[in-house]
Amino acid sequence: MAATALQPNQKEVFGHPAGLYVLFFTEMWERFSYYGMRGILVLYMATSATAIDPGLGWSSKDAIWLYGWYTMLVYVASIPGGWIADKFLGQKKTVMLGGLLLCIGHGVLAVPQDWAFFTGLLFIILGVGGLKPNISTMVGGLYKEGDIRRDSGFTIFYIGINIGAFLASITVGLVAYIYGWHYGFGLAGIGMFVGQAVFIWGQKYLKGVGEFTGGSEATEEERLAAKRPLTKIEKDRVVVLLISFLIVIVFWGAFEQAGGLMNLYTDAKVDRTIGLSWLEEIPAAVFQSLNAGYIIIFGTVIGSFWVWWKKSGKESSSLFKMAVGTIIMGLGYVFMMFASQEASAETFGKAAMFWIFLAYLFHTIGELCTSPVSLSFITKLAPLKYASIMMGVYFAATGLGNKLAGSIGEMSQLESFKGEVVVSKQELLPYIEKDSMEIKTLKNEIVTIYDYPINEDKKFIIKAKVFPENGEVVFTDYQSGENLNPLFEMSQGADSNTPKLLEDLTENNVTSSNPYHARLVFEKDKDKAQNIENKGDGKDYGVSFVLEEKQSEQEYSTFMWLTIFTVSFGFLLLLFLKKLKKLTHGAEDHEVDVKYDKETEGFELADPDNN
């Protein structure tokens, strides 16, 4: 009889509050939209503007630069998002507002216009800032202080995040690959609309959670907590949280190479051929699903391991888990070092796919030890009056980690050398191979033809050997050995990096018998390519390239230093673990299996008077 008298917000499902699953599915679909869009974002920016499904035509370096700024701002926006929740709206209403902005942002992003691209990104930044920190804080609000289920609840919530990311990386990646970039962006937007609908429907299961502490629905305890100054214990805990945010920056600075450097590396340097009749190779964006897929498989396993570990009386503090997770994640880059070595072992070589699978596996295990635990850690230590803003600072730290990741990825990409074609199309044709390509007819129908790319104003690549001779840089065709220098002139002037090319070749003792190599990318000027009347004239083509050997060295060095720094940082944290734990004042020392008390509504966070 007692069970039937429970209010919707008091009910449990599989041993957890029913509201957890409302937040689970809301966040699952929100992350579907975010990771689906993120998986194709860099690839879209780096795709030729003259392709059948044009991208922005940016260089890899520029694409990673914007990716770093965007992913930073997405999470830094969590600070004002948390502040708005704490001071004005409460977590629940701020999540609602953030979801609405996200629906607008993803909808605009599906419009194939340059203005829509940047406008959509702005709305998504604002929307994630409102939703992300506050929905995570609401998860903590479902559990009473000392409830051992809190960590496992966050792990379940985290699995929801990654089910969305897994589904998105496959479906959005394939839709973008088969139908076009903006269809992919549109599918991501549909996911956000579903998530918003779930959150609206599930309000009855969230009564008393995420309410504005200055509002009429807040409890007397919450109103008093919002007014009183912080105690010494609360201040110490805030200090620990701020130090833990440094771990967050380092962790995500290394981990978030996934959407940038590793995404581009997979696209260019990994053999993705599978030879299916309907799919010759796996799109690079689909590999973004590996991380989420591993989390779905191993999420509960890792969560259960740590519960068993704690019950065995062994060290299992959140800071310990975060340190171990950082070390494991860093070791994943060892496999990327092996991949880089394999790809560079032969000229224009590629690495096997299994290196990517192994790298993402270690990254995922590290993430499962770090990320859901850090979310739970904040809800244990954050003073009630600053619950949302501390979660906002956490996500801002995540954003700074993303910006760090973008900067690292940007440094891993060499600046391209550039030149201009100075010969006619007829003189270029002997060096170009015919290829199958899709084009749009005057009726906007897509058909496949077999022709020279230059006849359709498409880009084409000539593989070349590069070496110095008599104080000049010589380019010869990789297959025939014919001199390519008459085809183009290297850029000159104060802003040109052409002198550096000769310097690099000379310093590395490159010779004609031991040359460097380059993929010379010939591409028509974007604006001139829009002029259909001059289609196929072969004019206004530029050339760009990086030295393959130097680029491989740069990537290997990046993977190596990511390994060294993250592993060293993790061990440094373990060294100071005892001192940091003292500042928590036993916040994690008395966790037990607490069941929901139907007499108690609302939630508590880090009440210092109970320790």
Side-chain angles (χ1 to χ4, degrees):
M1 295 294 292
T4 59
L6 290 175
Q7 296 298 311
N9 62 304
Q10 297 173 322
K11 293 181 179 179
E12 292 188 355
V13 178
F14 301 122
H16 287 272
L20 173 65
Y21 301 96
V22 174
L23 301 178
F24 173 100
F25 284 107
T26 301
E27 183 73 342
M28 183 188 85
W29 286 111
E30 187 273 329
R31 291 290 91 179
F32 176 94
S33 66
Y34 177 77
Y35 281 104
M37 180 276 294
R38 193 200 74 163
I40 61 176
L41 181 63
V42 169
L43 300 176
Y44 168 70
M45 290 188 286
T47 294
S48 169
T50 61
I52 182 64
D53 183 30
L56 297 183
W58 293 13
S59 68
S60 296
K61 193 178 185 71
D62 290 340
I64 293 179
W65 173 83
L66 181 64
Y67 173 82
W69 275 105
Y70 164 69
T71 52
M72 182 193 77
L73 292 173
V74 159
Y75 288 108
V76 169
S78 294
I79 292 182
W83 179 76
I84 288 170
D86 284 337
K87 296 294 183 182
F88 302 106
L89 298 179
Q91 297 145 15
K92 190 184 297 182
K93 290 181 180 178
T94 309
V95 168
M96 190 77 75
L97 175 61
L100 176 62
L101 292 172
L102 282 166
C103 288
I104 296 172
H106 284 288
V108 171
L109 201 61
V111 178
Q113 298 288 337
D114 285 352
W115 69 264
F117 177 73
F118 294 104
T119 304
L121 291 185
L122 176 60
F123 273 103
I124 291 172
I125 288 168
L126 297 175
V128 174
L131 185 146
K132 189 67 177 168
N134 295 301
I135 196 170
S136 298
T137 306
M138 288 178 70
V139 174
L142 293 168
Y143 300 91
K144 291 189 288 184
E145 183 188 3
D147 192 338
I148 198 173
R149 298 177 301 166
R150 186 188 298 250
D151 279 6
S152 61
F154 269 99
T155 298
I156 292 171
F157 178 70
Y158 209 70
I159 291 173
I161 291 174
N162 286 280
I163 289 175
F166 176 76
L167 295 174
S169 297
I170 294 178
T171 57
V172 174
L174 284 174
V175 166
Y177 181 79
I178 296 171
Y179 297 103
W181 298 112
H182 293 283
Y183 283 94
F185 290 134
L187 179 57
I190 292 173
M192 188 58 240
F193 280 98
V194 174
Q196 185 75 346
V198 169
F199 188 70
I200 293 172
W201 169 83
Q203 290 298 294
K204 61 184 177 181
Y205 297 103
L206 298 170
K207 184 180 178 182
V209 178
E211 309 293 356
F212 176 41
T213 55
S216 59
E217 295 183 336
T219 65
E220 182 65 23
E221 181 183 356
E222 290 168 344
R223 283 193 287 270
L224 290 174
K227 294 178 180 178
R228 67 171 173 79
L230 296 183
T231 65
K232 171 66 167 59
I233 291 176
E234 287 176 322
K235 290 178 180 178
D236 284 346
R237 288 174 171 174
V238 169
V239 170
V240 176
L241 284 177
L242 294 177
I243 293 173
S244 73
F245 295 155
L246 180 61
I247 306 169
V248 170
I249 293 173
V250 172
F251 181 89
W252 291 109
F255 182 90
E256 277 298 328
Q257 299 303 321
L261 169 59
M262 288 185 66
N263 207 2
L264 290 172
Y265 189 88
T266 303
D267 189 43
K269 299 287 185 70
V270 174
D271 185 0
R272 298 174 282 111
T273 305
I274 54 176
L276 296 178
S277 57
W278 62 278
L279 189 67
E280 184 176 341
E281 64 179 13
I282 301 174
V286 171
F287 283 83
Q288 297 291 293
S289 68
L290 286 175
N291 170 243
Y294 284 142
I295 285 179
I296 295 168
I297 295 170
F298 297 110
T300 54
V301 175
I302 300 298
S304 298
F305 168 80
W306 284 118
V307 170
W308 169 82
W309 188 263
K310 182 179 182 68
K311 289 180 177 179
S312 300
K314 299 175 182 177
E315 174 62 54
S316 58
S317 64
S318 295
L319 291 170
F320 176 78
K321 295 174 188 176
M322 293 164 72
V324 171
T326 302
I327 292 169
I328 294 173
M329 185 275 299
L331 292 174
Y333 282 107
V334 172
F335 300 109
M336 294 308 300
M337 292 167 62
F338 288 138
S340 182
Q341 285 184 327
E342 181 178 326
S344 58
E346 59 182 73
T347 306
F348 302 115
K350 291 192 173 186
M353 281 189 285
F354 68 82
W355 295 119
I356 301 296
F357 279 82
L358 288 171
Y360 277 124
L361 175 60
F362 271 65
H363 289 179
T364 300
I365 294 174
E367 181 185 5
L368 283 169
C369 294
T370 302
S371 190
V373 169
S374 59
L375 290 173
S376 180
F377 190 53
I378 294 167
T379 65
K380 294 173 186 175
L381 269 65
L384 179 58
K385 66 187 294 185
Y386 296 129
S388 292
I389 199 167
M390 290 306 295
M391 190 66 78
V393 174
Y394 163 79
F395 283 113
T398 302
L400 292 174
N402 277 264
K403 181 62 181 75
L404 176 62
S407 298
I408 294 171
E410 186 183 351
M411 288 188 294
S412 73
Q413 302 298 302
L414 298 177
E415 184 180 354
S416 297
F417 298 104
K418 299 181 182 298
E420 296 292 331
V421 173
V422 294
V423 296
S424 66
K425 181 174 77 172
Q426 285 67 32
E427 293 173 277
L428 282 170
L429 283 178
Y431 303 96
I432 309 173
E433 295 182 357
K434 287 187 176 182
D435 197 6
S436 295
M437 66 188 113
E438 292 182 335
I439 64 167
K440 280 185 180 179
T441 66
L442 294 177
K443 297 180 179 180
N444 280 330
E445 296 175 340
I446 297 178
V447 298
T448 301
I449 65 171
Y450 185 73
D451 198 357
Y452 293 108
I454 198 170
N455 287 335
E456 297 294 334
D457 289 347
K458 303 295 184 184
K459 75 174 183 181
F460 57 92
I461 295 174
I462 300 177
K463 294 179 179 179
K465 297 178 182 179
V466 189
F467 53 90
E469 192 171 82
N470 299 325
E472 294 186 354
V473 179
V474 177
F475 300 85
T476 61
D477 185 88
Y478 179 66
Q479 296 292 342
S480 67
E482 292 187 42
N483 193 329
L484 302 175
N485 286 57
L487 303 182
F488 60 91
E489 290 182 354
M490 296 296 296
S491 299
Q492 303 296 330
D495 297 332
S496 172
N497 62 345
T498 299
K500 187 176 184 302
L501 176 58
L502 181 60
E503 180 183 327
D504 286 345
L505 295 172
T506 304
E507 285 183 355
N508 288 277
N509 299 316
V510 176
T511 63
S512 59
S513 58
N514 184 31
Y516 271 179
H517 302 83
R519 290 180 173 90
L520 305 180
V521 180
F522 291 78
E523 188 163 15
K524 190 163 186 172
D525 178 81
K526 176 182 177 181
D527 295 329
K528 299 294 177 62
Q530 305 303 316
N531 190 343
I532 301 177
E533 294 180 2
N534 296 325
K535 182 178 178 181
D537 62 3
K539 297 180 180 179
D540 304 304
Y541 265 82
V543 61
S544 62
F545 64 91
V546 295
L547 297 173
E548 291 288 304
E549 286 77 4
K550 295 290 290 183
Q551 181 61 52
S552 294
E553 288 176 10
Q554 190 81 351
E555 288 163 346
Y556 180 85
S557 178
T558 301
F559 294 139
M560 180 183 68
W561 283 110
L562 282 168
T563 303
I564 293 172
F565 182 73
T566 50
V567 171
S568 299
F569 188 85
F571 278 112
L572 184 65
L573 180 61
L574 291 176
L575 188 64
F576 291 97
L577 183 62
K578 288 185 178 180
K579 292 183 179 180
L580 292 173
K581 282 183 64 178
K582 286 183 179 179
L583 293 176
T584 68
H585 294 278
E588 299 181 294
D589 290 347
H590 305 291
E591 293 181 326
V592 294
D593 192 1
V594 179
K595 291 297 182 181
Y596 193 97
D597 182 355
K598 68 178 182 180
E599 299 298 327
T600 305
E601 294 186 4
F603 60 98
E604 302 175 63
L605 289 176
D607 183 357
D609 298 328
N610 291 340
N611 294 289

